[in-house]
Every structure is written in C-alpha cells, then in structure tokens.
C-alpha cells in the first residue's frame, strides 16, 4: 500500500524560517519567444541552465509563497473557466468541420499533406481540453468540487482517460514529487538497470525510446503503470483493487471504468456508422498526437540534469515540489493553458486556475531565487538533450549516503 496524503500541500516542515537570505534576482520569465538560440545551455538571463538547483533545506516555507501571491490568483471563476473550456471545444469542432467537409474531399496527393496537418492541430486542441480536465481533477476550475468532478469525468472519458483513477494517482504524485520511493510517475532508473544505462544509452537507443514513449507510454501508463513506481501486486488505473488506490477510492475507480466503457462503445457505434478508417482519421490519429504531447511535456517537466531526486532520508515536500522545471513552448504555452511554462507554481499550489499561474509564478520567483528552475532552451533541442543526459540517477561520487540523486548518462 502506498503512502497516501490527503492533499499535496498538507505536508511540509513545520519550522520557522531560518536567517532569511537577500532576495535573489532570477531568470527573466517569458512566455512568447520559442527558445533562446545560440548556446543552448545559456538562458536569456545569462545563466547556465544546467547549473544545479540547491538541495539544502529551503529558507522559506509554503506559507511565505502563498502570501506573496495576489489574492485574486486563488479565485476559481466558474464563468471564466467555462469560457476557456467552451473556447477549446469550439476550436476542436472547427477542426472537425474542416476535416469532415473539406479534407475528405481532397484528391490525392493533397489529402496526404492535409491529414497530418489536421492530426497535429486537432491533437493539440485535444491536449488543451485535456489540460482543463487536469485542472478539474485538481479542483482548480470552480468553487464546486462536485461540478469539477462531473465535468472532468466527461472531459477525460472523452479522451480515453480514467478520470478518478488519474485524479488519485496524480494527487499522490503531487504529494511525493521526486521521491525515489513514493513518487507515482517518471520514476528514474538506476545504473544497475543495465538495459537503460548500457543497452539503450546510445543515439539509436534514444531514438527507439523516444518512439516508444511518444506512441505507447500514455495508454501503457494507465494500463500497466509503465513509468510508475513499483508496487506489490498488479498496478493499473483500470483495476479497482490496484495498490495505487486506497479503499475509500475504489468505488470511483469502477466509475472511471464505466466512463471508459461508454466512450469505447460510442466509438464503436461511430465506426459502425462510418468506417474504422474514418474514425481513425478524425479521432484516432489526433488522440495519438495528444498522447505524444502529454508524454513529451510531462517528461520535460520532470527530467532535467539540474534537478535532484531524493530518497526517504532526505526528501521533504517543498524541495520535491520545486524539483520540476518551467519551459518555453512558444504559442503552445497558450494552447496548453500555461501548464508548460508555469509548472513549478502548479506543483506548489495546484488549486490556482491556469489563467492565474503565470502571474503567480512571477510573484513567487523573487522568494524562490535559485530554487526556481526555468529553461528556455529551444524545446526540441531540450527534449533531445534530456533523452541523452537523463538516462538514470545516482548520488555524486563520495556522497553515496547523501540521499540525493542526480541524472547521469
């Protein structure tokens, strides 16, 4: 049975702030420019993005960060949240209309060009809606948790995601971020796992793992807990008796499964009324793109040479929550509702609505100082760099008992 916490902000050290340090001027936060260009390891603020984030106890507590954030950032405005949700649905419907009424009629070879463009655009649209479903699971959509769960259940089931199952495992991820023993996802490998540290530790192996990750990791994570922490017994988001969940959560896992069955049945009826090819082109291929987006940016959230993992001797909640990175995805920051460029503050206070996270990030940066990691390396370069440099984790030489682990290659 896993260690369960009822809320990701329920655990942090109850100590007074030590001798306060002067505020540190940190990297310029930007959301509109795709990458920095030039030396890929030097940010626009002039710092080497590979410089390690401090691992000593923080001189601030979560209460200090909460106080620094303007009060209106905590407001979950239902009408504004619905505006973003229905706006994304309208974009999604527009892409569907273009595909169904125009691309299907295009002659060859024009349709061979048009379909991949549609798949990428519609898959990105799916990801935007899915991201709002993620906010619903964090109760960051409205002041009514029952409403958040009802909408989130429909949204995530539509994209073949078990809503309550993911909500509970994801809550545990927030409660134990970068804990070697108890984090729920993107658990790093150790050097002793020679399949990763030796067999796949080469350019061809990186390409193979990239293909497998982007194409298969999303469904494999939910089905077989790939990239998840090891458990005794069968761990699956579809299995109500899975050790991922506690007894109070199991009934809602059945509900998640029911939502998935309804979604699959609806897809079956659509395929029967049209064709399997039509369904794949309109829905299936964009869903694969959405899955790839999810794996791409969650991998980059939690894989960076400058960020540490901690075992139970050294881990605490606030340093774990800070062991993630904000990145610049250009226009996709907007498409994905800033989950890409304000992920650090999301791990600190996950109930802040997405339309306030950028402002909240700017508010806490002066307090976080060097504990805040922002990397504006062009995103494809960053992805390739991390696939090469973040193969496994080990402590520094001579610090084997430190409880602190760093990525190696």
């Amino acid at each position: 049975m896993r260690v369960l916490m009822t809320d990701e902000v329920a655990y942090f050290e109850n100590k007074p702030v030590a001798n306060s340090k002067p505020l540190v001027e940190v990297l310029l936060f930007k959301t509109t420019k795709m990458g920095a260009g030039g030396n890929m390891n030097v940010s626009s603020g002039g710092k080497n993005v590979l410089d390690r984030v401090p691992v000593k106890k923080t001189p601030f507590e979560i209460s200090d960060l909460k106080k620094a954030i303007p009060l209106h950032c905590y407001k979950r405005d239902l009408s504004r949240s619905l505006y973003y949700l229905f706006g994304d649905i309208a974009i999604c419907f527009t892409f569907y209309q273009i595909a169904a009424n125009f691309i299907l009629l295009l002659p060859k070879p024009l349709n061979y060009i048009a379909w991949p463009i549609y798949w990428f655009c519609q898959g990105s649209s799916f990801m935007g809606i899915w991201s709002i479903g993620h906010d619903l699971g964090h109760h960051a959509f409205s002041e009514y948790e029952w409403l958040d769960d009802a909408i989130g259940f429909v949204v995530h089931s539509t994209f073949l995601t078990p809503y309550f199952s993911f909500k509970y495992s994801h809550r545990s991820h927030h409660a134990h971020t970068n804990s070697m023993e108890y984090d729920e996802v993107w658990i790093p490998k150790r050097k002793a796992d020679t399949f990763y540290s030796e067999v796949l530790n080469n350019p061809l192996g990186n390409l193979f793992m990239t293909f497998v990750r982007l194409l298969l990791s999303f469904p494999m994570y939910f089905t077989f807990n790939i990239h998840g922490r090891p458990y005794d017994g069968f761990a699956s988001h579809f299995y109500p008796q899975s050790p991922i969940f506690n007894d109070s959560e199991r009934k809602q896992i059945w509900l998640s499964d029911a939502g998935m069955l309804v979604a699959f049945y609806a897809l079956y009826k659509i395929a029967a009324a049209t064709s399997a090819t039509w369904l794949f082109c309109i829905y299936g291929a964009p869903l694969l793109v959405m899955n790839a987006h999810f794996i791409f940016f969650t991998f980059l959230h939690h894989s960076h040479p400058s960020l540490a993992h901690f075992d139970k001797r050294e881990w605490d909640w606030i340093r774990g929550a800070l062991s993630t990175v904000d990145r610049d995805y250009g226009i996709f920051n907007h498409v994905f509702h800033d989950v890409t460029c304000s992920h650090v503050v999301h791990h600190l206070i996950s109930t802040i609505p997405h339309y306030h996270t950028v402002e909240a990030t700017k508010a806490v940066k002066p307090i976080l100082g060097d504990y805040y990691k922002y990397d504006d390396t062009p995103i494809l370069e960053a992805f390739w760099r991390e696939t090469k440099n973040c193969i496994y984790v080990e402590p520094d030489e001579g610090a084997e008992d430190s409880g602190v682990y760093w990525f190696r290659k």
Side-chain angles (χ1 to χ4, degrees):
M1 180 61 65
R2 65 176 169 85
V3 175
L4 178 69
M5 302 182 68
T6 58
D7 187 89
E8 56 264 33
V9 299
Y11 178 86
F12 53 87
E13 293 200 346
N14 186 20
K15 294 180 180 180
V17 177
N19 293 332
S20 181
K21 291 186 174 182
L23 299 183
V24 181
E25 184 174 354
V26 292
L27 307 181
L28 177 65
F29 187 89
K30 60 186 184 64
T31 60
T32 58
K33 181 181 176 184
M34 179 66 84
N39 188 335
M40 64 179 291
N41 294 333
V42 178
S43 76
S44 58
K47 290 187 177 182
N48 189 327
V49 296
L50 301 184
D51 287 345
R52 288 179 173 182
V53 169
V55 294
K56 59 183 179 296
K57 301 285 185 180
T58 62
F60 50 82
E61 299 194 23
I62 188 65
S63 57
D64 301 312
L65 303 175
K66 288 182 175 181
K67 291 174 184 175
I69 296 172
L71 289 178
H72 69 265
C73 289
Y74 296 100
K75 180 175 175 55
R76 294 167 290 196
D77 187 324
L78 177 58
S79 60
R80 188 170 182 182
S81 296
L82 287 171
Y83 166 80
Y84 283 103
L85 175 60
F86 286 116
D88 279 2
I89 292 173
I91 293 171
C92 178
F93 183 72
T94 300
F95 285 140
Y96 161 73
Q97 288 292 323
I98 292 172
N101 294 307
F102 297 101
I103 298 179
L104 283 170
L105 303 178
L106 286 176
K108 297 178 183 179
L110 291 179
N111 59 348
Y112 293 142
I113 300 172
W115 277 120
I117 295 173
Y118 164 76
W119 294 339
F120 183 81
C121 293
Q122 186 70 295
S124 301
S125 171
F126 282 7
M127 191 69 248
I129 300 173
W130 192 100
S131 295
I132 292 178
H134 159 264
D135 277 8
L136 286 153
H138 279 294
H139 189 28
F141 189 84
S142 77
E143 298 296 329
Y144 310 100
E145 189 167 7
W146 67 267
L147 181 62
D148 289 1
D149 281 341
I151 299 174
F153 175 69
V154 174
V155 167
H156 271 187
S157 297
T158 301
F159 298 113
L160 304 185
T161 302
Y163 173 74
F164 290 105
S165 307
F166 177 71
K167 173 182 175 178
Y168 294 136
S169 69
H170 191 62
R171 181 179 66 186
S172 185
H173 162 61
H174 273 252
H176 306 101
T177 308
N178 279 38
S179 164
M180 292 292 292
E181 294 87 3
Y182 300 118
D183 199 355
E184 283 292 335
V185 68
W186 292 117
I187 310 303
K189 304 298 181 182
R190 299 293 303 277
K191 187 176 182 179
D193 190 338
T194 55
F195 181 70
Y196 287 89
S197 63
E198 296 180 11
V199 176
L200 294 178
N201 195 0
N202 55 72
L204 187 61
N206 289 335
L207 286 174
F208 172 76
M209 284 305 301
T210 296
F211 175 79
V212 171
R213 280 193 185 113
L214 297 181
L215 186 64
L216 299 175
S217 286
F218 187 87
M220 294 291 283
Y221 170 63
F222 290 122
T223 307
F224 300 113
N225 203 36
I226 298 298
H227 299 307
R229 57 167 284 202
Y231 281 102
D232 293 329
F234 180 57
S236 171
H237 284 73
F238 301 114
Y239 180 45
Q241 297 303 314
S242 170
I244 297 173
F245 313 112
N246 64 31
D247 289 342
S248 67
E249 298 165 345
R250 301 193 192 283
K251 289 182 180 179
Q252 290 179 304
I253 308 310
W254 286 108
L255 185 57
S256 292
D257 291 348
M260 295 286 288
L261 287 174
V262 170
F264 276 117
Y265 181 72
L267 292 172
Y268 164 76
K269 296 296 286 185
I270 292 171
T274 55
S275 70
T277 301
W278 186 94
L279 181 62
F280 175 79
C281 288
I282 294 295
Y283 173 83
L287 187 71
L288 291 176
V289 172
M290 185 204 81
N291 295 351
H293 277 312
F294 175 83
I295 296 302
F296 185 93
F297 69 65
T298 56
F299 170 77
L300 286 177
H301 283 158
H302 298 289
S303 302
H304 197 282
S306 71
L307 299 176
H309 284 73
F310 307 89
D311 67 24
K312 57 188 176 183
R313 296 170 296 179
E314 189 66 18
W315 181 89
D316 61 42
W317 178 82
I318 195 165
R319 283 184 294 166
L322 289 169
S323 295
T324 183
V325 56
D326 288 345
R327 299 182 187 266
D328 183 8
Y329 286 68
I331 191 174
F332 290 99
N333 292 332
H334 176 73
V335 174
F336 301 151
H337 301 295
D338 296 320
V339 69
T340 47
C341 64
S342 56
H343 194 68
V344 173
V345 81
H346 170 68
H347 263 270
L348 293 167
I349 309 170
S350 62
T351 54
I352 294 177
H354 65 83
Y355 41 82
H356 289 315
T357 52
V358 171
E359 182 179 0
T361 298
K362 293 177 180 178
V364 299
K365 278 171 55 181
I367 298 174
L368 296 178
D370 287 337
Y371 285 89
Y372 173 72
K373 174 57 66 175
Y374 174 66
D375 187 345
D376 59 0
T377 301
I379 207 63
L380 293 178
E381 291 185 41
F383 182 78
W384 183 243
R385 183 189 67 199
E386 265 57 295
T387 61
K388 292 190 300 179
N389 294 333
C390 300
I391 305 297
Y392 61 90
V393 295
E394 289 294 329
D396 282 336
E397 186 175 350
E400 287 79 7
D401 296 325
S402 65
V404 179
Y405 300 77
W406 300 96
F407 277 112
R408 312 285 182 185
K409 63 177 180 178

